[in-house]
Amino acid sequence: MWYPIHVKLTKKSVLVVGGGPTAERKIMRLRQAGAAITVVSPMLTPALEQLCSAGELSSIQRHYQSGDGTGYELVFIAVNDPNTRQHIHEDCPETTWVNIADDGGAGDFITPGMFQRGRLLMTVSTDGASPKLAQKIINSWEKQYPSMYEDYVEFLRESRAFLKKYVAPDKQSELLAWLLEEEVEARVLSGDRQGADQAFQEQLAKYRR
Ligand SMILES: C[C@@]1(CC(=O)O)C2=NC(=C\c3[nH]c(c(CCC(=O)O)c3CC(=O)O)Cc3[nH]c(c(CC(=O)O)c3CCC(=O)O)/C=C3\N/C(=C\2)[C@@H](CCC(=O)O)[C@]3(C)CC(=O)O)/[C@H]1CCC(=O)O
Ligand SMILES: NC(=O)c1ccc[n+]([C@@H]2O[C@H](COP(=O)([O-])OP(=O)(O)OC[C@H]3O[C@@H](n4cnc5c(N)ncnc54)[C@H](O)[C@@H]3O)[C@@H](O)[C@H]2O)c1
């Protein structure tokens, strides 16, 4: 049974073993999360080569050697041979969190598919049963949660902070529920943030202590 968490990786040291398209996808996402990444691989994709040349990625351009996996918080193994992968996994310290691209269940964590609209982060995993299904579900979210959803979540955050300050605790729940009413959502999604803010202020006046 997996335990889902969202982790901060800012400045955490991460090793990626392998330099193919799978390693590239992992590295791009790790960069967005602000991790300090080292890649060890004899071959790198052109995009990874470019990052190394620009000094934006540390690389060790050779095969993994015993001990390479020591000193990192996380290790991602994305090589193309199961025997090599197993040898590398066994060589990593037991306390290190290891992800295995070609056999998720054999590692310590899997990377779920993710979908983001500003502060809204949705993740999906099929326990490796079908990464394609994970992708299909993400595609359905694209349609269900248009890009304006980012503004709606921001509106919710700001309104919630406001009401936590000005409304008595026993009245907050009602107003929080009002924020989620379809009309309010539709208003922000249509681009009328000002109108939504105004409607919120009117509601707030009824509840203010
Ligand atoms: C969701 C996503 C997140 C991410 O990793 O970013 C993800 N795979 C994604 C893409 C993708 N995966 C595959 C392709 C190739 C082309 C294709 O088939 O379309 C592509 C597309 C591409 O590479 O472009 C095939 C594949 N995947 C795995 C195997 C090995 C195996 O299972 O044997 C095989 C080969 C056998 C097969 O074809 O099934 C294994 C894993 N893949 C996982 C996650 C983990 C479990 C996720 C879950 O719980 O469902 C797990 C277990 C390991 C892990 O933690 O990495 C990301 C989609 C979202 C995005 O694109 O952002
Ligand atoms: N998790 C996923 O989402 C996902 C998606 C597609 C494929 N895969 C699996 O992930 C693995 C990698 O996929 P890929 O398409 O990037 O493969 P690839 O063959 O393109 O790349 C493998 C990389 O590993 C490097 N490598 C090989 N032996 C090494 C060693 N001993 N030390 C360091 N580096 C070494 C190679 O130089 C190459 O850069 C495959 O097993 C594939 O089945 C996983």
Side-chain angles (χ1 to χ4, degrees):
M1 180 79 184
W2 298 106
Y3 185 88
I5 53 174
H6 292 178
V7 290
K8 270 188 195 160
L9 287 182
T10 325
K11 295 191 179 148
K12 296 279 188 221
S13 54
V14 175
L15 181 72
V16 177
V17 188
T22 300
E24 179 184 313
R25 202 183 63 245
K26 306 259 182 212
I27 287 171
M28 293 310 178
R29 198 164 279 176
L30 286 164
R31 274 169 54 79
Q32 283 173 355
I37 313 158
T38 302
V39 59
V40 56
S41 175
M43 298 281 289
L44 295 176
T45 63
L48 293 179
E49 285 280 9
Q50 216 169 10
L51 285 176
C52 291
S53 308
E56 291 186 31
L57 179 65
S58 305
S59 70
I60 306 171
Q61 297 213 5
R62 56 158 170 74
H63 285 90
Y64 180 96
Q65 283 176 7
S66 187
D68 279 350
T70 301
Y72 296 92
E73 311 274 352
L74 301 179
V75 174
F76 290 79
I77 305 176
V79 298
N80 42 9
D81 169 50
N83 290 330
T84 311
R85 177 252 293 159
Q86 198 180 338
H87 159 73
I88 296 168
H89 189 195
E90 284 166 7
D91 190 61
C92 290
E94 261 184 47
T95 49
T96 303
W97 293 83
V98 178
N99 171 260
I100 301 178
D102 62 334
D103 187 5
D108 301 307
F109 66 98
I110 52 176
T111 55
M114 66 176 254
F115 172 81
Q116 191 143 24
R117 289 283 187 241
R119 290 173 191 274
L120 177 69
L121 172 60
M122 292 161 72
T123 52
V124 57
S125 165
T126 64
D127 190 17
S130 172
K132 266 194 189 307
L133 173 61
Q135 189 58 60
K136 189 177 167 186
I137 291 170
I138 290 168
N139 291 343
S140 77
W141 287 341
E142 297 264 351
K143 293 183 203 104
Q144 201 176 341
Y145 300 96
S147 57
M148 282 302 282
Y149 230 79
E150 179 170 347
D151 298 64
Y152 179 50
V153 177
E154 199 50 37
F155 164 74
L156 293 177
R157 188 187 71 81
E158 287 170 23
S159 304
R160 182 170 176 271
F162 220 90
L163 75 85
K164 289 276 165 197
K165 210 164 158 188
Y166 296 113
V167 176
D170 59 327
K171 300 271 171 52
Q172 290 179 0
S173 173
E174 254 176 81
L175 196 47
L176 285 170
W178 179 86
L179 287 168
L180 297 180
E181 282 180 13
E182 265 174 44
E183 287 160 53
V184 182
E185 178 186 324
R187 201 157 195 170
V188 183
L189 295 185
S190 73
D192 185 14
R193 169 73 200 258
Q194 228 180 348
D197 281 337
Q198 206 175 333
F200 173 66
Q201 288 301 329
E202 283 163 19
Q203 286 296 315
L204 191 67
K206 295 184 201 165
Y207 291 88
R208 230 176 149 120
R209 56 182 160 194

